[in-house]
Short mmCIF file of all heavy atoms in Angstrom, two decimals:
data_model
loop_
_atom_site.label_atom_id
_atom_site.label_comp_id
_atom_site.label_asym_id
_atom_site.label_seq_id
_atom_site.Cartn_x
_atom_site.Cartn_y
_atom_site.Cartn_z
N PRO A 6 -78.12 -13.52 -16.30
CA PRO A 6 -78.47 -12.95 -17.62
C PRO A 6 -77.70 -11.65 -17.85
O PRO A 6 -77.60 -10.81 -16.93
CB PRO A 6 -79.99 -12.72 -17.55
CG PRO A 6 -80.46 -13.65 -16.49
CD PRO A 6 -79.33 -13.71 -15.48
N SER A 7 -77.21 -11.45 -19.08
CA SER A 7 -76.45 -10.24 -19.43
C SER A 7 -77.41 -9.22 -20.03
O SER A 7 -78.04 -9.48 -21.06
CB SER A 7 -75.37 -10.56 -20.44
OG SER A 7 -74.92 -9.35 -21.02
N ILE A 8 -77.45 -8.02 -19.43
CA ILE A 8 -78.36 -7.00 -19.93
C ILE A 8 -77.89 -6.41 -21.28
O ILE A 8 -78.61 -5.61 -21.85
CB ILE A 8 -78.60 -5.83 -18.92
CG1 ILE A 8 -77.29 -5.08 -18.61
CG2 ILE A 8 -79.28 -6.37 -17.67
CD1 ILE A 8 -77.55 -3.74 -17.89
N LEU A 9 -76.73 -6.85 -21.76
CA LEU A 9 -76.29 -6.38 -23.09
C LEU A 9 -77.36 -6.73 -24.13
O LEU A 9 -77.46 -6.03 -25.16
CB LEU A 9 -74.97 -7.07 -23.45
CG LEU A 9 -74.19 -6.48 -24.59
CD1 LEU A 9 -73.83 -5.03 -24.35
CD2 LEU A 9 -72.91 -7.28 -24.84
N ALA A 10 -78.14 -7.77 -23.89
CA ALA A 10 -79.10 -8.22 -24.90
C ALA A 10 -80.50 -7.66 -24.66
O ALA A 10 -81.46 -8.08 -25.34
CB ALA A 10 -79.14 -9.76 -24.91
N VAL A 11 -80.67 -6.72 -23.71
CA VAL A 11 -82.04 -6.22 -23.46
C VAL A 11 -82.42 -5.13 -24.44
O VAL A 11 -81.55 -4.55 -25.13
CB VAL A 11 -82.22 -5.67 -22.02
CG1 VAL A 11 -81.82 -6.69 -20.98
CG2 VAL A 11 -81.50 -4.35 -21.82
N ASP A 12 -83.69 -4.80 -24.42
CA ASP A 12 -84.18 -3.59 -25.09
C ASP A 12 -83.97 -2.47 -24.07
O ASP A 12 -84.67 -2.42 -23.06
CB ASP A 12 -85.66 -3.77 -25.44
CG ASP A 12 -86.28 -2.48 -25.96
OD1 ASP A 12 -85.57 -1.44 -26.03
OD2 ASP A 12 -87.47 -2.48 -26.28
N PHE A 13 -83.00 -1.60 -24.32
CA PHE A 13 -82.64 -0.60 -23.30
C PHE A 13 -83.72 0.45 -23.08
O PHE A 13 -83.68 1.18 -22.10
CB PHE A 13 -81.29 0.03 -23.63
CG PHE A 13 -80.15 -0.78 -23.10
CD1 PHE A 13 -79.51 -1.71 -23.91
CD2 PHE A 13 -79.72 -0.65 -21.77
CE1 PHE A 13 -78.46 -2.49 -23.40
CE2 PHE A 13 -78.68 -1.42 -21.27
CZ PHE A 13 -78.06 -2.35 -22.08
N ALA A 14 -84.69 0.50 -23.98
CA ALA A 14 -85.83 1.40 -23.74
C ALA A 14 -86.70 0.87 -22.59
O ALA A 14 -87.52 1.60 -22.03
CB ALA A 14 -86.66 1.56 -25.01
N SER A 15 -86.49 -0.39 -22.24
CA SER A 15 -87.30 -1.03 -21.17
C SER A 15 -86.37 -1.73 -20.17
O SER A 15 -86.66 -2.85 -19.73
CB SER A 15 -88.25 -2.06 -21.75
OG SER A 15 -88.96 -1.51 -22.83
N LEU A 16 -85.29 -1.10 -19.82
CA LEU A 16 -84.27 -1.78 -18.99
C LEU A 16 -84.87 -2.37 -17.70
O LEU A 16 -84.66 -3.54 -17.39
CB LEU A 16 -83.15 -0.79 -18.63
CG LEU A 16 -82.06 -1.32 -17.69
CD1 LEU A 16 -81.32 -2.51 -18.32
CD2 LEU A 16 -81.06 -0.23 -17.32
N LYS A 17 -85.63 -1.57 -16.95
CA LYS A 17 -86.16 -2.06 -15.68
C LYS A 17 -87.07 -3.26 -15.87
O LYS A 17 -86.94 -4.27 -15.19
CB LYS A 17 -86.89 -0.93 -14.93
CG LYS A 17 -87.42 -1.42 -13.60
CD LYS A 17 -87.91 -0.28 -12.75
CE LYS A 17 -88.34 -0.83 -11.38
NZ LYS A 17 -88.68 0.25 -10.47
N GLU A 18 -87.99 -3.16 -16.83
CA GLU A 18 -88.92 -4.28 -17.09
C GLU A 18 -88.15 -5.54 -17.48
O GLU A 18 -88.50 -6.63 -17.05
CB GLU A 18 -89.89 -3.93 -18.22
CG GLU A 18 -90.94 -2.87 -17.81
CD GLU A 18 -90.49 -1.43 -18.07
OE1 GLU A 18 -89.23 -1.15 -18.07
OE2 GLU A 18 -91.34 -0.56 -18.24
N GLU A 19 -87.11 -5.36 -18.28
CA GLU A 19 -86.31 -6.53 -18.72
C GLU A 19 -85.62 -7.19 -17.51
O GLU A 19 -85.61 -8.41 -17.38
CB GLU A 19 -85.25 -6.06 -19.73
CG GLU A 19 -85.80 -5.54 -21.03
CD GLU A 19 -86.03 -6.64 -22.06
OE1 GLU A 19 -86.70 -7.63 -21.75
OE2 GLU A 19 -85.53 -6.47 -23.20
N ILE A 20 -85.07 -6.34 -16.63
CA ILE A 20 -84.40 -6.90 -15.47
C ILE A 20 -85.40 -7.59 -14.53
O ILE A 20 -85.17 -8.71 -14.06
CB ILE A 20 -83.61 -5.79 -14.71
CG1 ILE A 20 -82.40 -5.34 -15.56
CG2 ILE A 20 -83.17 -6.26 -13.34
CD1 ILE A 20 -81.63 -4.16 -14.96
N VAL A 21 -86.55 -6.94 -14.32
CA VAL A 21 -87.59 -7.54 -13.47
C VAL A 21 -88.07 -8.88 -14.05
O VAL A 21 -88.27 -9.85 -13.32
CB VAL A 21 -88.75 -6.54 -13.25
CG1 VAL A 21 -89.95 -7.25 -12.62
CG2 VAL A 21 -88.31 -5.36 -12.39
N SER A 22 -88.16 -8.95 -15.38
CA SER A 22 -88.64 -10.18 -15.99
C SER A 22 -87.73 -11.37 -15.73
O SER A 22 -88.21 -12.48 -15.47
CB SER A 22 -88.85 -10.01 -17.52
OG SER A 22 -87.62 -10.10 -18.20
N VAL A 23 -86.41 -11.14 -15.71
CA VAL A 23 -85.54 -12.28 -15.46
C VAL A 23 -85.41 -12.53 -13.96
O VAL A 23 -85.21 -13.68 -13.53
CB VAL A 23 -84.12 -12.12 -16.10
CG1 VAL A 23 -84.25 -12.28 -17.61
CG2 VAL A 23 -83.42 -10.85 -15.76
N GLU A 24 -85.57 -11.49 -13.14
CA GLU A 24 -85.59 -11.71 -11.68
C GLU A 24 -86.80 -12.62 -11.33
O GLU A 24 -86.65 -13.61 -10.62
CB GLU A 24 -85.67 -10.39 -10.92
CG GLU A 24 -85.74 -10.58 -9.40
CD GLU A 24 -85.51 -9.31 -8.59
OE1 GLU A 24 -85.55 -8.20 -9.20
OE2 GLU A 24 -85.33 -9.43 -7.39
N GLU A 25 -87.96 -12.28 -11.89
CA GLU A 25 -89.16 -13.07 -11.62
C GLU A 25 -89.06 -14.47 -12.20
O GLU A 25 -89.64 -15.40 -11.69
CB GLU A 25 -90.41 -12.33 -12.16
CG GLU A 25 -90.75 -11.13 -11.31
CD GLU A 25 -91.92 -10.30 -11.88
OE1 GLU A 25 -92.33 -10.56 -13.04
OE2 GLU A 25 -92.39 -9.41 -11.15
N ALA A 26 -88.28 -14.59 -13.28
CA ALA A 26 -88.11 -15.90 -13.91
C ALA A 26 -87.11 -16.79 -13.16
O ALA A 26 -86.96 -17.98 -13.50
CB ALA A 26 -87.65 -15.72 -15.34
N GLY A 27 -86.42 -16.24 -12.16
CA GLY A 27 -85.53 -17.07 -11.35
C GLY A 27 -84.04 -16.86 -11.58
O GLY A 27 -83.22 -17.70 -11.20
#
Side-chain angles (χ1 to χ4, degrees):
S7 164
I8 63 166
L9 195 59
V11 306
D12 172 0
F13 274 94
S15 311
L16 176 63
K17 182 170 184 173
E18 289 88 334
E19 295 272 52
I20 290 175
V21 168
S22 80
V23 289
E24 179 168 12
E25 287 175 350

